[in-house]
Amino acid sequence: MYRQVFIFVAFLWSGLSAQAQEIKWEQVAPGIWKGMVGKPENYNLLTASGAQPATEGLKRIGEADFPLLKQEIVAKLNDGKTYLRFPLNKKEQLYGFGLNFQTVHQRGKILELHVDHYGGKDNGRTHAPTPFYVSSDGYGVFINSARYLKVYAGSAVRRDSKDAPEAKDRNTDKTWSSRPYSDAVEILVPAEGVEFYVFAGPKPLDAISRYNLFNGGGPLPPRWGLGFTQRVKTLYTAAEVEKEAQAFADKGFPLDYIGLEPGWQSKAYPCTFEWDNSRYPDPAGFVKHMLSKGIRLNLWTNPYVSPLASIYKDLKPYTADHTVWLGAVPDLTLPEARTILFGQLKKAQVDIGVSGYKFDEVDGYDHYLWPDVTSFPSGKSAEQMRQTYGLLIQRYSAELFHQRNQRTYGLVRASNGGGTAMPYVIYNDYYNHEDFITALINSSFSGVLWTPEARASKTGEEWLRRMQSVVFSPMAMINAWSSGTKPWSYPEVEQQVKDMALLRMQMMPYWYSEFAKYHFQGIPPFRAMNLEEGFLSEVKKELKSTNLEDNPYVEAVSKEVKDQYMAGEYLLVAPMFAGKSSRTVILPRGKWFDFYTGKFAGDGEVITVTPGLDRIPVYVKDGGIIPMGPALMQAPKPTDKINLEIRYYGSKPGKYLLYDDDGESFNYEKGDFSFREINITKGSNGVLKTSVSKAEKGKPNTLDKITFKAMTSHE
């Protein structure tokens, strides 16, 4: 009898434990709500990253209503795990869930969000498996967990779904589908509670901007970080690095910083974090000499400590019980470990003038990194450390430079939710050009930056096409650690590559202003077409009202667009790939003009272009304003003043916010910056009426002579 009662109570308790749990809601910022269920873990993505909301930017976006029905958001606890469910409308599309390389549309996907070196499949295992998604309906959801999350992004059908599809007979019904309609995003969190956030729009870009600002806003790189960088071969010596820099100067190619690969260290894989005396006998003198030439240095490393390192003995008690390449793995959640490791970086590199780092191998593969059975002295699980190690290495290395009031801009192989503000760009060992562009597009949904770096190519055509993409990306980088490639390594396209490199430098005022908007407004500087107003939803509405739903333009924009993107406020970039002489470009609603000539290109239509080898297709919105500087060999210094040519396209009234500060320090955090408003209108006689607001007294002003140029249009 007692046994039967016990079994019944146990059964009843197990049933209750799987029932819906109360979600505790709290509005934490304008248009942002936190939901809590169960007992969330103390260690999560936001605690690892140290992200602090950019409150002023969030206030400027303003309030918005909660974008979903709260009663349709469901949480359950069962088997020591948390189940979350968010509703989906039939016509919603989903974007995000991390740095994907082959797909932009994520509805219907099943993913395990797991930090890893990219494995060729968009299955959730990637360099930045950010648990944030945004809906075409104009809202976003972020799961603040440092666990491996299983996501069913509209792929499963519940028995009691209010929108359950009709069961069909496969034998006789041709409309039968093996993947019937699903009305929910369901997420499994392997913990007994979690906190999550809902971001209002009303547009998808608004939700993304709120997410980015909630995580501190995007990084504002130093001006030199937006110039050109060359990573030299692994075992280069100080003399060879100097020779490389001189070759750039002699050939008239811009160069702001050089990346030194593993050979700068006395031992690597695992690392000593100490200079190799045979290749770099006088590190301080070498760094000083390069800085005198205007060349900064960025150092490759990974965090795994060689038994031969001078810090190994002191650091060992604060490391994991498993190794990576026989190197000790510091527990970066412990202050003692951070003091030793980053103290070494400070003393031996940052204090002598090194400007940044490339942090490698903080992602995967499983056979490289520590296994999930690893123990860390802090008690954090191996899983949690895997999900946050990229965040930790970015956070505490960036602090080294912040303490010096010196901005940095570097490279990293892993990031995650909460890492938006980190001054690092993700890269990897994969090398498919088309997929690089898809990753650049997807970075805009994930609060990270991605570089489509150039390394080497089979032909001059491929080299030029890759370099054209590099110019219109967050980091203009040649990564020649293995190939030794130079910009001029393909003589048949050397001049075209140089022209593109100089164009990058001319566009510095535009790029710098767009990164400032990423920092202060949360708007990604490189972003998906799906986030461009007039690209899809509004065009569909207009065509629907006129019974033109079969218009081929609607079909084009409804498809997954993963080979063109927006660069800053006004530019649409459509990369060319080797072996292709023409391509189609989908222009959003409104007039668009050729970036190079100002010629009218189209209005809300699909065009086919044959740009020739020399140019990457780029288009400017009607009323677009592009501030252009001189074709310098290096980014301007804080004391430099440059001439500015302001280019204007089309005929609509145009407005642009041009950002200015000293370009190197964090003084902008104290208000030492300015946004100068540019306004242009075109009269009926074609004459421009122009204005530029004055630089505020006492604020930085790096501009000298300002001129305006109307780019000729032929409609």
Side-chain angles (χ1 to χ4, degrees), residues 510 513-514 517 569-570 627 655-658 676-678:
Y510 181 74
S513 296
E514 294 307 315
K517 292 168 190 172
E569 184 172 354
Y570 286 122
K655 183 174 74 171
Y656 190 74
L657 292 177
L658 180 71
R676 298 178 65 176
E677 186 171 300
I678 301 170

Side-chain angles (χ1 to χ4, degrees), residues 219-221 226 409 449 474 511-519 525-526:
L220 181 55
L226 299 178
Y409 198 47
L449 297 170
W511 299 130
Y512 198 54
S513 296
E514 294 307 315
F515 268 90
K517 292 168 190 172
Y518 190 27
H519 178 73
F526 301 89

Side-chain angles (χ1 to χ4, degrees), residues 437-629:
I437 301 306
T438 304
L440 183 58
I441 290 165
N442 277 316
S443 68
S444 63
F445 301 118
S446 304
V448 297
L449 297 170
W450 161 261
T451 174
E453 63 181 51
R455 298 174 208 157
S457 298
K458 295 178 181 178
T459 65
E461 178 201 8
E462 182 191 349
W463 182 247
L464 178 57
R465 292 310 192 195
R466 287 185 178 275
M467 288 298 294
Q468 289 168 345
S469 295
V470 158
V471 163
F472 287 88
S473 83
M475 183 177 284
M477 179 174 71
I478 296 175
N479 188 2
W481 70 271
S482 175
S483 65
T485 311
K486 313 291 190 290
W488 54 87
S489 288
Y490 301 82
E492 65 272 32
V493 295
E494 178 178 344
Q495 186 58 51
Q496 293 99 316
V497 170
K498 179 185 287 188
D499 291 343
M500 292 304 300
L502 294 176
L503 177 62
R504 171 76 175 201
M505 302 307 290
Q506 286 179 282
M507 295 181 70
M508 183 82 67
Y510 181 74
W511 299 130
Y512 198 54
S513 296
E514 294 307 315
F515 268 90
K517 292 168 190 172
Y518 190 27
H519 178 73
F520 289 104
Q521 299 175 22
I523 301 172
F526 301 89
R527 60 190 184 277
M529 296 305 306
N530 310 77
L531 301 177
E532 175 62 20
E533 188 172 346
F535 180 67
L536 177 58
S537 58
E538 295 178 18
V539 173
K540 272 189 167 182
K541 291 176 186 176
E542 181 177 295
L543 292 174
K544 187 174 182 179
S545 67
T546 54
N547 296 315
L548 293 174
E549 292 180 86
D550 58 345
N551 187 299
Y553 178 70
V554 175
E555 181 183 357
V557 298
S558 299
K559 292 179 179 177
E560 191 173 42
V561 179
K562 55 184 184 178
D563 63 352
Q564 64 178 69
Y565 57 94
M566 295 300 297
E569 184 172 354
Y570 286 122
L571 298 182
L572 187 162
V573 182
M576 298 294 297
F577 306 106
K580 304 289 181 65
S581 60
S582 65
R583 63 157 295 161
T584 58
V585 181
I586 305 170
L587 298 175
R589 187 177 60 183
K591 295 177 181 178
W592 292 80
F593 301 86
D594 183 89
F595 169 70
Y596 307 96
T597 66
K599 183 179 179 181
F600 175 71
D603 180 348
E605 58 190 286
V606 181
I607 61 174
T608 299
V609 296
T610 307
L613 187 61
D614 296 356
R615 289 178 173 172
I616 176 175
V618 181
Y619 303 94
V620 189
K621 293 181 194 178
D622 193 6
I625 294 172
I626 310 296
M628 303 282 284

Side-chain angles (χ1 to χ4, degrees), residues 49-54 211-221 391 394-395 398 402 408-409 415-425 446-449 518-519 666 668-669:
S49 68
Q52 296 295 319
Y211 169 79
N212 288 334
L213 290 170
F214 184 68
N215 290 297
L220 181 55
L391 292 173
Q394 291 178 81
R395 174 183 179 180
H402 199 280
T408 186
Y409 198 47
S415 193
N416 212 323
T420 300
M422 305 297 188
Y424 287 91
V425 181
S446 304
V448 297
L449 297 170
Y518 190 27
H519 178 73
F666 287 94
Y668 67 86
E669 294 181 340

Side-chain angles (χ1 to χ4, degrees), residues 11 30 33 131 158 291 312 355 358 605 658:
F11 175 79
W33 293 263
R158 290 170 292 108
L291 286 172
Y312 180 82
S355 296
K358 170 186 175 182
E605 58 190 286
L658 180 71

Side-chain angles (χ1 to χ4, degrees), residues 82-194:
T82 303
Y83 296 73
L84 297 174
R85 186 171 80 234
F86 301 89
L88 278 178
N89 293 323
K90 282 193 174 181
K91 294 185 178 180
E92 275 184 87
Q93 185 51 261
L94 302 178
Y95 312 98
F97 295 117
L99 187 67
N100 294 302
F101 284 72
Q102 296 179 335
T103 56
V104 174
H105 293 173
Q106 302 304 321
R107 185 161 185 169
K109 298 284 287 293
I110 299 173
L111 309 162
E112 184 180 34
L113 303 184
H114 187 308
V115 168
D116 201 356
H117 186 54
Y118 180 67
K121 299 178 181 178
D122 283 359
N123 59 5
R125 296 183 73 115
T126 184
H127 302 283
T130 310
F132 172 73
Y133 71 89
V134 63
S135 164
S136 58
D137 278 4
Y139 66 88
V141 175
F142 171 58
I143 312 300
N144 183 25
S145 171
R147 295 286 180 178
Y148 304 149
L149 305 184
K150 196 69 175 284
V151 175
Y152 301 86
S155 63
V157 183
R158 290 170 292 108
R159 184 189 60 206
D160 60 348
S161 168
K162 70 173 186 177
D163 294 316
E166 177 188 354
K168 298 182 179 182
D169 180 6
R170 184 179 181 182
N171 294 329
T172 60
D173 193 336
K174 292 183 179 180
T175 66
W176 180 91
S177 172
S178 62
R179 303 187 67 181
Y181 164 73
S182 168
D183 66 353
V185 175
E186 297 177 279
I187 300 173
L188 176 62
V189 183
E192 295 181 339
V194 70

Side-chain angles (χ1 to χ4, degrees), residues 340-402:
I340 296 169
L341 177 63
F342 293 104
Q344 171 65 15
L345 301 189
K346 179 180 184 298
K347 177 183 68 175
Q349 295 116 48
V350 176
D351 282 353
I352 66 172
V354 166
S355 296
Y357 288 94
K358 170 186 175 182
F359 288 108
D360 211 355
E361 284 100 19
V362 288
D363 48 353
Y365 296 107
D366 286 350
H367 54 267
Y368 286 164
L369 290 199
W370 57 88
D372 285 350
V373 297
T374 300
S375 295
F376 284 83
S378 65
K380 306 291 189 301
S381 72
E383 174 185 0
Q384 291 172 306
M385 295 298 285
R386 178 74 170 263
Q387 294 293 77
T388 61
Y389 214 71
L391 292 173
L392 295 168
I393 201 75
Q394 291 178 81
R395 174 183 179 180
Y396 295 111
S397 61
E399 282 187 5
L400 295 176
F401 295 93
H402 199 280

